[in-house]
Amino acid sequence: TGSPMSGRRVGFCLSDKKRKRMNLHAFHRCSLTDPSLGEFFLSQIDLARPLVPQGPFDVIVHKLSDVIVEAEHDSRSQQLLANFQSYVAAHPGTVLLDPLPAMTQLLDRFASYRIMTKLHNSLRDWRICSPPYLEIHSVSDPSSIQQAVMAQGLSFPIICKTRVAHGSLSHEMSLIFSEGSLADIHPPCVLQSFVNHGAVLHKVFVVGDQHFCVERPSLKNFPSGPCDRETIFFNSHQVSKPESSSDLTAVSRIVGVTSEAVAALVKELRVQLGMALFGVDVIINIQTHTLTVIDINIFPGYEGVPQFFSALLSHIESVLDKQTFAGPQAVGPSATSTALSTSRTVDTRSLSDAARDNRLPLRFCSCHPGFQMKHNSCFYFIVEEAEEMVTYSCVEVMQIGNSQNSRNSLHTVIIIAQNIY
Ligand SMILES: Nc1ncnc2c1ncn2[C@@H]1O[C@H](COP(=O)(O)OP(=O)(O)OP(=O)(O)O)[C@@H](O)[C@H]1O
Ligand SMILES: O=P(O)(O)O[C@H]1[C@H](OP(=O)(O)O)[C@@H](OP(=O)(O)O)[C@@H](O)[C@@H](O)[C@@H]1OP(=O)(O)O
């Protein structure tokens, strides 16, 4: 066990509801020692109070979804968010789980469904897909919506979900059975083909490079094709929580998922999202047996995963170890990766030389989550400075990280390695 100064300082920034659910409300300032991992100092962050005296933190674990969504229209939330962002920018050594831009994209179903659609190509070999969908941006005349529904290849029944993916209203959904009922939708929303899946939802909970699968109730099968049934309005939390039971959730046939396909899905999503704490909701099409992704959740509840907390601490430990391994200059808010473990192949001297040639102080470097260094591969990196981006030897930029961290004199270096292993 290390001295207090050698422990990991972890700040949790969560809503009251989330804190209670995670059983973190008991932690005011507490230390915790895991024999296999070392010592952790856990504390709750109060966004409403100045952050500097509450720190320092090695890692901040957060779910700021409420604040981000409310900041769209509420000046107090805007202020809280701005304070948090400036703290993060001023403390590049503090790792943020997860990076704000990465998680923010999942608050918008238009953005998250585009990510889900990309899985068709990248995971073609595993026959993983997501159902056809349509973005409805604003109220328009029913005939143009009907045309778009047909053009996009959607089939009835259709499930309608709000564009905003977080908050109590976001779970209010409807099942639409005919063209005539498309008048029941309230844009902005997504329309998505309903896929019969035997009323079983597979929740995949991801914590860094570990994931856990839990089965849940889900919507029952419906006859395919349009019919004159009235629209069914429901709340998703009434159908897919562990305790959910309703007329809408009668199980007909359980079809399992293969663990290899789920592992491939998780690996790909970690790369695509640049996140470590997320959930993927998967159903199995009862006709085609295709693994079908219907939702990606930011830092979900992990209900039914008793190993969650130890997995989280182990992930934090591994992120911080890699950060230490990469050297004191090589730290950063989006260093949530598993990737630097193989960073002995990284030629840090040439990285420093390149940075020096350009007279850039090298402040922060991280490997994008999910990218593993390939042995003997050359590595590519990008130096961002304010709006200007300088690219070195960059053959393929797969994803550019947290540009919010490159402010003023702070230069963000993101190492991007090709191929996983
Ligand atoms: N395309 C689909 N086909 C069949 N059933 C679906 C489809 N989309 C959603 N469902 C059903 O509706 C439920 C809610 O959908 P979804 O996961 O998108 O909602 P959510 O409110 O974002 O969920 P969460 O609580 O995980 O955030 C699913 O658990 C599943 O039962
Ligand atoms: O707290 P809970 O256990 O209900 O967790 C739910 C979480 O609420 P939280 O915000 O309080 O974490 C939800 O977040 P928002 O959609 O509202 O962003 C969403 O991620 C659900 O998928 C989670 O349920 P699960 O997927 O685990 O069933």
Side-chain angles (χ1 to χ4, degrees), residues 307-349:
Q307 311 92 321
F308 167 68
F309 203 66
S310 60
L312 176 63
L313 293 182
S314 147
H315 178 66
I316 289 171
E317 184 73 11
S318 92
V319 166
L320 293 176
D321 278 353
K322 284 158 196 163
Q323 191 190 46
T324 310
F325 185 77
Q329 290 177 314
V331 293
S334 66
T336 57
S337 77
T338 56
L340 287 176
S341 58
T342 48
S343 63
R344 60 185 173 277
T345 60
V346 171
D347 181 356
T348 44
R349 192 176 44 79

Side-chain angles (χ1 to χ4, degrees), residues 109 113 131 159 161 170-171 173 192-195 197 201 203 218-219 234 236-237 239-240 281 283 294-295 297:
R109 280 194 233 268
Y113 280 34
I159 187 163
K161 312 180 190 181
S170 73
H171 306 298
M173 309 193 165
Q192 188 184 50
S193 294
F194 181 84
V195 174
H197 56 280
L201 177 69
K203 298 214 66 113
S218 187
L219 287 175
F234 67 100
S236 65
H237 285 184
V239 300
S240 51
D281 292 352
I283 55 177
I294 53 165
D295 191 22
N297 293 303

Side-chain angles (χ1 to χ4, degrees), residues 4 24 36 42 54 57 80-81 83-84 105 118 137 145 218 239 241 249 252 258 271 291 329 357 367 384:
L24 281 183
S36 62
L42 311 178
Q54 297 182 60
F57 304 106
L80 294 178
L81 188 58
N83 291 346
F84 185 78
Q105 65 187 339
K118 280 207 263 172
H137 291 252
I145 295 179
S218 187
V239 300
K241 286 292 177 188
T249 59
S252 52
T258 64
V271 173
L291 197 152
Q329 290 177 314
D357 290 345
C367 192
E384 287 178 62

Side-chain angles (χ1 to χ4, degrees), residues 55-318:
F57 304 106
D58 295 309
V59 174
I60 295 178
V61 178
H62 71 92
K63 181 163 179 177
L64 291 177
S65 311
D66 290 325
V67 184
I68 295 170
V69 168
E70 281 160 21
E72 291 287 313
H73 52 83
D74 174 58
S75 58
R76 183 179 142 75
S77 300
Q78 276 161 20
Q79 191 58 56
L80 294 178
L81 188 58
N83 291 346
F84 185 78
Q85 285 172 314
S86 33
Y87 178 87
V88 169
H91 297 82
T94 301
V95 175
L96 207 53
L97 287 181
D98 278 315
L100 285 177
M103 61 150 287
T104 302
Q105 65 187 339
L106 296 183
L107 295 172
D108 178 1
R109 280 194 233 268
F110 289 177
S112 66
Y113 280 34
R114 284 174 205 161
I115 294 169
M116 277 156 42
T117 303
K118 280 207 263 172
L119 299 172
H120 290 233
N121 285 333
S122 51
L123 294 169
R124 192 183 299 266
D125 292 348
W126 293 99
R127 299 183 64 236
I128 293 174
C129 71
S130 61
Y133 76 97
L134 180 64
E135 297 175 2
I136 308 287
H137 291 252
S138 56
V139 179
S140 31
D141 67 290
S143 67
S144 63
I145 295 179
Q146 285 166 18
Q147 277 171 14
V149 162
M150 295 310 139
Q152 200 65 19
L154 268 69
S155 54
F156 287 99
I158 283 173
I159 187 163
C160 176
K161 312 180 190 181
T162 55
R163 175 177 184 171
V164 175
H166 169 79
S168 52
L169 289 178
S170 73
H171 306 298
E172 297 295 338
M173 309 193 165
S174 56
L175 271 172
I176 294 167
F177 294 90
S178 65
E179 287 192 356
S181 296
L182 286 169
D184 291 333
I185 68 172
H186 299 286
C189 57
V190 288
L191 300 180
Q192 188 184 50
S193 294
F194 181 84
V195 174
N196 278 332
H197 56 280
V200 179
L201 177 69
H202 302 269
K203 298 214 66 113
V204 183
F205 293 122
V206 181
V207 190
D209 55 12
Q210 297 188 59
H211 65 270
F212 307 89
C213 298
V214 170
E215 274 178 20
R216 291 272 181 92
S218 187
L219 287 175
K220 67 180 180 184
N221 298 337
F222 288 92
S224 300
C227 66
D228 59 6
R229 199 167 175 166
E230 294 280 297
T231 299
I232 298 175
F233 296 92
F234 67 100
N235 183 301
S236 65
H237 285 184
Q238 285 164 358
V239 300
S240 51
K241 286 292 177 188
E243 64 285 0
S244 298
S245 168
S246 85
D247 288 350
L248 292 171
T249 59
V251 179
S252 52
R253 180 150 67 100
I254 295 186
V255 186
V257 276
T258 64
S259 53
E260 290 88 356
V262 171
L265 170 65
V266 168
K267 195 170 182 181
E268 176 68 17
L269 273 175
R270 286 208 64 209
V271 173
Q272 294 286 337
L273 299 173
M275 291 170 64
L277 301 176
F278 63 93
V280 199
D281 292 352
V282 169
I283 55 177
I284 307 296
N285 184 320
I286 53 161
Q287 263 154 8
T288 62
H289 289 197
T290 312
L291 197 152
T292 308
V293 179
I294 53 165
D295 191 22
I296 307 173
N297 293 303
I298 300 159
F299 197 163
Y302 295 92
E303 204 168 341
V305 183
Q307 311 92 321
F308 167 68
F309 203 66
S310 60
L312 176 63
L313 293 182
S314 147
H315 178 66
I316 289 171
E317 184 73 11
S318 92

